Amino acid sequence: MRTRFYTHPICREHLTPPGHPERPDRLRVIVDRLDDEPFAYLERLEAPLADEETVLLAHPAEHLDKVKASIPGEGLAVIDGDTTVSPKSLEAALTAIGGALAGVDDVFSGEAGNVFVAGRPPGHHAEKNRAMGFCLFNNAAIAARYAQKKHGAERIAIVDWDVHHGNGTQDIFWDDPSVLYCSTHQMPLYPGTGAAHETGAGNIVNAPLPAGSGSEAFREAFDEKVLPAIDQFAPDLIIISAGFDAHRRDPLAELNLEADDFDWATGVLMERADRLSQGRVVSLLEGGYDLHGLSVSVAAHVGRLLKG
């Protein structure tokens, strides 16, 4: 089973203010770690630039126009208190989307068994009509819609283990039973959504965890909520919103996961994909803001993908 890795230097040119946690160095440490010997068999490709029209798979034209209008000719522009853009931000965002769509094509064509895409900016906080939480467009949602439109996938499961709830993904698929959205996340925490009673059309599964939770609580949430939902849904594709900010070193939250937890979660999702989805897994980078915690967690995640 071939594992492909997509990234592109342009994604480092999405700039944020000094001291901002979502910074270009995140991609630098990922690329450096995946150059190590254990990843010799990882197939590395440059993410292609997606057409602007692909954004419209999950967002209205008004949202695309608003983001385009916010891009400055120089310096930084502020969208909200957390979210800024720079001159190359639109190109970076479209390249992150392009990597996600290429990954979808790969797993449906058989060119790869699974794919990891390290792009910036991340996506899971972007709602239908709103950029927020470091995110401009919802990469996972666009990828899911693309899989349905291009490859005829009937059911997509998105599993989000970022420490922050993916309010944007929930918003986009709230009343769409063709997409299952499962999230483990710290609560209370930004953005304030993700309570267990938020279930959409029966296709939303939230497993909030209190601050201080560790491996046992995280794995229990998977075993009791996420995995049974996937088993019942039987998806054609599993997309992972792979944030690594639940690692114990991360500065933005208080969960206490280790890299081994991401290895384990990747493995149990791959088992479901092998049984239900012809092995198809596309993983998209979301959060993760301590550089060491991010690099070791990505290494554990991609190492498990490589094992097939």
Side-chain angles (χ1 to χ4, degrees):
M1 179 183 290
R2 179 183 299 172
T3 298
R4 282 186 167 176
F5 168 52
Y6 285 94
T7 191
H8 196 288
I10 193 64
C11 291
R12 300 192 204 184
E13 296 190 45
H14 165 60
L15 304 180
T16 53
H20 195 285
E22 207 295 285
R23 57 205 189 275
D25 277 348
R26 299 179 64 233
L27 293 193
R28 177 185 59 79
V29 299
I30 289 172
V31 171
D32 288 350
R33 178 57 67 106
L34 296 182
D35 277 341
D36 289 350
E37 179 61 28
F39 305 99
Y41 293 103
L42 181 65
E43 186 173 0
R44 297 162 177 83
L45 297 170
E46 282 200 341
L49 182 70
D51 294 333
E52 290 183 5
E53 289 73 18
T54 61
V55 172
L56 306 183
L57 292 170
H59 300 280
E62 292 79 7
H63 176 71
L64 172 61
D65 292 343
K66 186 184 299 184
V67 172
K68 289 172 63 177
S70 73
I71 303 298
E74 59 182 21
L76 301 177
V78 176
I79 289 179
D80 65 20
D82 299 308
T83 311
T84 59
V85 286
S86 61
K88 295 293 186 180
S89 292
L90 179 63
E91 187 176 353
L94 291 173
T95 303
I97 293 168
L101 304 190
V104 171
D105 285 338
D106 288 344
V107 299
F108 276 96
S109 69
E111 288 294 312
N114 54 62
V115 175
F116 176 63
V117 182
R120 294 177 58 250
H124 75 151
H125 291 310
E127 298 179 344
K128 286 179 186 177
N129 297 293
R130 183 183 181 193
M132 60 180 287
F134 313 161
C135 304
L136 303 182
F137 307 121
N138 197 304
N139 307 326
I142 294 167
R145 289 294 189 223
Y146 179 79
Q148 292 177 323
K149 181 176 180 180
K150 175 74 178 292
H151 297 284
E154 295 182 358
R155 296 175 306 282
I156 311 292
I158 300 174
V159 179
D160 187 340
W161 64 51
D162 191 282
V163 81
H164 302 95
H165 180 246
N167 60 293
T169 312
Q170 176 169 292
D171 173 63
I172 290 168
F173 297 116
W174 179 256
D175 57 358
D176 182 356
S178 74
V179 176
L180 173 70
Y181 176 66
C182 301
S183 177
T184 59
H185 48 274
Q186 182 177 325
M187 194 172 185
L189 192 66
Y190 181 91
T193 54
H197 64 77
E198 297 169 17
T199 58
N203 61 316
I204 307 294
V205 178
N206 286 311
L209 301 170
S213 297
S215 300
E216 183 177 354
F218 173 72
R219 298 187 187 202
E220 183 178 279
F222 257 71
D223 284 336
E224 295 186 358
K225 293 189 175 182
V226 175
L227 299 179
I230 293 172
D231 288 340
Q232 182 175 6
F233 190 69
D236 301 308
L237 167 68
I238 295 176
I239 296 173
I240 303 174
S241 274
F244 299 98
D245 38 7
H247 190 278
R248 62 178 176 80
R249 292 174 56 103
D250 201 89
L252 299 190
E254 297 85 31
L255 294 190
N256 293 311
L257 301 192
E258 302 283 353
D260 284 349
D261 293 306
F262 300 112
D263 180 320
W264 175 85
T266 306
V268 294
L269 291 178
M270 290 175 69
E271 290 171 4
R272 264 61 187 184
D274 288 343
R275 178 159 49 84
L276 302 169
S277 316
Q278 299 185 37
R280 301 183 190 110
V281 174
V282 175
S283 175
L284 309 178
L285 180 67
E286 300 283 2
Y289 306 107
D290 176 84
L291 296 183
H292 177 73
L294 174 63
S295 67
V296 297
S297 298
V298 168
H301 175 52
V302 175
R304 175 60 66 174
L305 291 175
L306 278 165
K307 291 177 182 178

